[in-house]
C-alpha cells in the first residue's frame, strides 16, 4: 500500500509520538466480547492506547504496525510484549499462527477509496478463522474535517473522500451504507450493528471525530 512505501507514519511519529491518549470505545467492546483464551490479531498498534490495556488485562493479542519508529518505541517501552509487537502488515507477520480467532482494526485499513479498503479487509480476512470476529473502529462521515484540505469528493452513498496534501493519500470518512457494503464485499457479516461514537477533536477545540464501532463475522 502507498502508505507503507511512503513511510508517512514514520515521519508522523518522529514528530508526534503521543502516548498519553485514552483508549478508544473499541477497547471496551473487545473486553466485553473477546475471550482471553482466544488468539487475537491487532492490526496497526500505533501508540498502544487500545492494545496495551488489553494485553495488560490478559487478552492474547498479537500486534503489527508498518511503522518502524512505532515498533521500536513500543518494544523499548514495553519489552515484556516484544514478541507480540512486530513490524509488518497483514500477511507478513506471525506466520506460525495460520489463522487467528479474531482481529482488531482501529483507525486502520480504511484507505483512500472503497475498493482499496475492501481489498485490505479481504487480506485481513485470510488471517481470521471462519466465523471469527472482526472488531472495528473506522472513521465516519460527520467528523469535522481539518480546514487545510485541498480537494474532496463524495461517493454515491455519501462517504467523504478528503485530500489534505499533495503527497499524502486521501482520507475516507465512511457513510453507514458504504460501511455496510465494504464489509459485505470483503466477506464479513455485521453481527453487532455499528454505532457511531463522537470523540473530541483535541487539536481543534469544539470539533468532533466520529467513528463507526462494531463487530462483524468472517463468512
Ligand atoms: C491512526 S493510527 C491507529 C493506531 C491504533 N490502532 C489506535 O487506534 O490508536 C494507524 C496505525 O496503523 C499503522 N498502519 C497503517 N497501515 C497499516 C497496515 N496496512 N498494517 C499495519 N499497520 C498499519 C500506522 O503505522 C499507524 O501506527
Amino acid at each position: 500500500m502507498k502508505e507503507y512505501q511512503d513511510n508517512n507514519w514514520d515521519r508522523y511519529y518522529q514528530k508526534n509520538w503521543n502516548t498519553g491518549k485514552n483508549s478508544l470505545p473499541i477497547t471496551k467492546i473487545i473486553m466485553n466480547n473477546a475471550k482471553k483464551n482466544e488468539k487475537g490479531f491487532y492490526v496497526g498498534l500505533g501508540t498502544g492506547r487500545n492494545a496495551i490495556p488489553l494485553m495488560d488485562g490478559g487478552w492474547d493479542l498479537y500486534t503489527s504496525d508498518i511503522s518502524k519508529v512505532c515498533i521500536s518505541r513500543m518494544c523499548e517501552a514495553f519489552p515484556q510484549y516484544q514478541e507480540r509487537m512486530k513490524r509488518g502488515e497483514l500477511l507478513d507477520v506471525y506466520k506460525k499462527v495460520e489463522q487467528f480467532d479474531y482481529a482488531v482494526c482501529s483507525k486502520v485499513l480504511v484507505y483512500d477509496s472503497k475498493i482499496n479498503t475492501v481489498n485490505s479487509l479481504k487480506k485481513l480476512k485470510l488471517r481470521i478463522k471462519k466465523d471469527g470476529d472482526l472488531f472495528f473502529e473506522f472513521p465516519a462521515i460527520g467528523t469535522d474535517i481539518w480546514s487545510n484540505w485541498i480537494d474532496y469528493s463524495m461517493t454515491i452513498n455519501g462517504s467523504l473522500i478528503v485530500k489534505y496534501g499533495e503527497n499524502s493519500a486521501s482520507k475516507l470518512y465512511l457513510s453507514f451504507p458504504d460501511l455496510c457494503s465494504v464489509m459485505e464485499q470483503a466477506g464479513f457479516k455485521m453481527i453487532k450493528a455499528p454505532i457511531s461514537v463522537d470523540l473530541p477533536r483535541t487539536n481543534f477545540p469544539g470539533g468532533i471525530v466520529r467513528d463507526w464501532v462494531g463487530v462483524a463475522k468472517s463468512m
Side-chain angles (χ1 to χ4, degrees):
M1 280 276 158
K2 198 166 179 252
E3 224 173 351
Y4 197 177
Q5 290 154 7
D6 287 355
N7 292 325
N8 276 347
W9 279 104
D10 275 338
R11 279 198 293 274
Y12 176 80
Y13 285 139
Q14 251 143 10
K15 287 199 211 137
N16 317 273
W17 182 251
N18 180 355
T19 51
K21 290 186 180 169
N22 292 334
S23 297
L24 293 176
I26 190 174
T27 308
K28 253 223 165 87
I29 295 194
I30 299 164
M31 288 179 169
N32 290 338
N33 291 281
K35 298 193 180 86
K36 288 188 179 176
N37 64 350
E38 290 186 338
K39 276 191 167 33
F41 182 29
Y42 187 107
V43 184
L45 171 64
T47 53
R49 61 179 160 175
N50 306 317
I52 294 296
L54 286 162
M55 292 195 281
D56 283 347
W59 276 269
D60 193 14
L61 272 194
Y62 296 79
T63 73
S64 75
D65 202 291
I66 53 169
S67 158
K68 215 173 169 171
V69 175
C70 159
I71 294 298
S72 77
R73 291 196 180 165
M74 289 301 286
C75 286
E76 208 180 297
F78 301 94
Q80 69 275 34
Y81 299 134
Q82 265 187 38
E83 291 310 309
R84 293 164 178 272
M85 302 195 292
K86 298 287 176 205
R87 183 176 186 223
E89 215 184 343
L90 297 166
L91 307 178
D92 55 346
V93 288
Y94 309 112
K95 289 189 182 160
K96 283 191 185 150
V97 185
E98 207 181 306
Q99 285 193 310
F100 290 88
D101 296 299
Y102 65 93
V104 182
C105 236
S106 170
K107 310 268 210 182
V108 68
L109 300 189
V110 173
Y111 287 104
D112 50 351
S113 66
K114 268 179 75 180
I115 186 68
N116 285 344
T117 305
V118 168
N119 287 339
S120 62
L121 290 173
K122 275 186 179 168
K123 264 206 248 172
L124 175 61
K125 185 175 182 288
L126 298 173
R127 299 304 307 269
I128 317 172
K129 288 180 180 159
K130 185 173 179 318
D131 289 336
D133 288 342
L134 168 61
F135 297 93
F136 64 85
E137 178 152 352
F138 289 149
I141 184 84
T143 296
D144 282 309
I145 63 166
W146 297 103
S147 51
N148 59 340
W149 59 271
I150 56 170
D151 201 3
Y152 70 89
S153 61
M154 190 166 258
T155 69
I156 196 155
N157 283 329
S159 296
L160 194 59
I161 301 170
V162 183
K163 197 163 181 59
Y164 288 107
E166 281 309 338
N167 298 318
S168 56
S170 299
K171 275 205 67 137
L172 171 62
Y173 299 96
L174 286 163
S175 67
F176 182 75
D178 274 341
L179 169 68
C180 296
S181 86
V182 159
M183 284 295 188
E184 200 179 318
Q185 284 175 50
F188 291 97
K189 185 177 178 225
M190 223 56 101
I191 55 168
K192 266 201 199 314
I195 51 160
S196 66
V197 291
D198 286 350
L199 307 158
R201 168 81 88 198
T202 36
N203 293 339
F204 192 1
I208 58 165
V209 176
R210 181 166 294 164
D211 288 340
W212 293 116
V213 185
V215 189
K217 196 173 268 308
S218 171
M219 300 311 288

